[in-house]
C-alpha cells in the first residue's frame, strides 16, 4: 500500500472520528445552550455549501470537460451533481423518521430526568440517528478518499469540511443516548462508531473502485459528492440550525463557515 493511499485513508479516519469530538462537546455544554448548536450547525452548512459549489463542482466540470468536451462535459457534471442529490434524497426517504437529527431539540429543551417511556423514546431516537449518520458518512468517506487520491490538497480541504460537519452529528447521536441511559461512555461509543462509517467507505473505495478509476469516474464522483454535500446542508443542517436559532446565530455560523473554508482553500492551494 503506497503513501498516497495511506494518506487518503488517514484523512477519512480523521474526518470520521470528529463525531467523537461532537459527543464530548455535548457533555460539556449546557443542555439548554441552543445558541451553540445553532452556530455549529450553521457553520457546518457554510463549510459544506462553499466547498461543494466553489471547489468540488468546478473540479468535476474541468475533469469531465477535458474528457467529453465542453457541452457534453458540462451536461455530465450536472447529471452527476443532481444525481448525487437524488442518491442522498433516496437514502433519507428510506431511513426511519426517528433518525432525524432535528429531533434533538426536544432533548435539549429538557431540564428534568426523563420518564421510563421517554427513556425508550430517546434511546430509539439516538440509535436511529446513529444509523442515519453512519449511512450518510459512508459516501462521505468515499468522497474524501477519492478526492485525496486525485488531489491531496483538495482531500485535506474536504476532510476538514467533513470533520466540522461531523461534530454536530456527534452531538446529535450522543445527547439523546446520554439522556436515555445516563451513561457518557455508551453515548460516546455509539457516536464514535457512527463516524467509523467514513473509513469503511474509504476501504470500500480502495478495494472495489480503485481498479476502475479514471478521470471520467473522478469527475462524475466529484459532481455527485458536490450534490450530496449541498443536499445535506439544505435539507438537514440549515433547517436544524434555524430551529435552534437565537438572534441570527445560525446565519452568523453559515458566514463564518464559508469564510473559514475559503481561507483554508487558499492556504492549501499555495
Amino acid at each position: 500500500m503506497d503513501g498516497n493511499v495511506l494518506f487518503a485513508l488517514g484523512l477519512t479516519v480523521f474526518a470520521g472520528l470528529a463525531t467523537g469530538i461532537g459527543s464530548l462537546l455535548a457533555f460539556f455544554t449546557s443542555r439548554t445552550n441552543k445558541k451553540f448548536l445553532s452556530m455549529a450547525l450553521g457553520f457546518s452548512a457554510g463549510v459544506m455549501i462553499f466547498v461543494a459549489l466553489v471547489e468540488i463542482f468546478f473540479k468535476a466540470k474541468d475533469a469531465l470537460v477535458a474528457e467529453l468536451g465542453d457541452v457534453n462535459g458540462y451536461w455530465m457534471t450536472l447529471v452527476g451533481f443532481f444525481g448525487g442529490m437524488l442518491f442522498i434524497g433516496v437514502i433519507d426517504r428510506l431511513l426511519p423518521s426517528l433518525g432525524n437529527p432535528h429531533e434533538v431539540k426536544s432533548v435539549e429543551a429538557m431540564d428534568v430526568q426523563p420518564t421510563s417511556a421517554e427513556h425508550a423514546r430517546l434511546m430509539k431516537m439516538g440509535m436511529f440517528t446513529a444509523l442515519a449518520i453512519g449511512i450518510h458518512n459512508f459516501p462521505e468517506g468515499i468522497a474524501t478518499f477519492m478526492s485525496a487520491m486525485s488531489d491531496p490538497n483538495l482531500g485535506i480541504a474536504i476532510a476538514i469540511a467533513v470533520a466540522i460537519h461531523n461534530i454536530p452529528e456527534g452531538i446529535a447521536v450522543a445527547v439523546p443516548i446520554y439522556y436515555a441511559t445516563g451513561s457518557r461512555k455508551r453515548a460516546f461509543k455509539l457516536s464514535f462508531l457512527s463516524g467509523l462509517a467514513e473509513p469503511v467507505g474509504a476501504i470500500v473505495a480502495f478495494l472495489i473502485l480503485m481498479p476502475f478509476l479514471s478521470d471520467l469516474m473522478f469527475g462524475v464522483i466529484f459532481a455527485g459528492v458536490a450534490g450530496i454535500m449541498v443536499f445535506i446542508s439544505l435539507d438537514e443542517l440549515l433547517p436544524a440550525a434555524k430551529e435552534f436559532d437565537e438572534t441570527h446565530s445560525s446565519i452568523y455560523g453559515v458566514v463564518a463557515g464559508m469564510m473559514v473554508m475559503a481561507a483554508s482553500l487558499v492556504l492549501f492551494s499555495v
Side-chain angles (χ1 to χ4, degrees), residues 15-73:
L17 296 187
T19 56
I21 297 174
S23 64
L24 292 175
L25 288 175
F27 301 145
F28 292 102
T29 302
S30 168
R31 56 188 164 186
T32 57
N33 187 359
K34 294 184 179 181
K35 185 175 181 180
F36 166 76
L37 283 178
S38 177
M39 291 193 70
L41 290 164
F43 188 92
S44 300
V47 166
M48 298 277 279
I49 292 171
F50 190 91
V51 74
L53 295 181
V54 173
E55 184 77 4
I56 301 176
F57 181 89
F58 288 99
K59 283 272 187 181
K61 178 176 173 289
D62 290 345
L64 291 172
V65 165
E67 287 290 310
L68 303 174
D70 290 341
V71 176
N72 290 336

Side-chain angles (χ1 to χ4, degrees), residues 92-127:
D92 273 346
R93 293 288 294 177
L94 294 176
L95 292 176
S97 60
L98 282 173
N100 190 344
H102 303 182
E103 295 186 25
V104 177
K105 67 173 184 176
S106 62
V107 181
E108 290 292 312
M110 292 178 60
D111 291 311
V112 296
Q113 290 296 320
T115 65
S116 59
E118 287 171 334
H119 274 200
R121 181 178 62 84
L122 292 173
M123 190 63 192
K124 192 173 183 181
M125 182 195 305
M127 295 295 290

Side-chain angles (χ1 to χ4, degrees), residues 207-231:
L207 295 177
I208 298 176
L209 299 180
M210 283 293 287
F212 307 101
L213 289 184
S214 64
D215 289 340
L216 179 63
M217 178 174 283
F218 269 121
V220 172
I221 290 175
F222 271 27
V225 167
I228 289 171
M229 295 174 85
V230 170
F231 186 96

Side-chain angles (χ1 to χ4, degrees), residues 18 22 37 40-41 44 133 163-173 237:
L37 283 178
L41 290 164
S44 300
I133 288 173
I164 294 171
H165 163 64
N166 283 348
I167 290 174
E169 289 186 345
I171 295 171
V173 174
L237 295 176

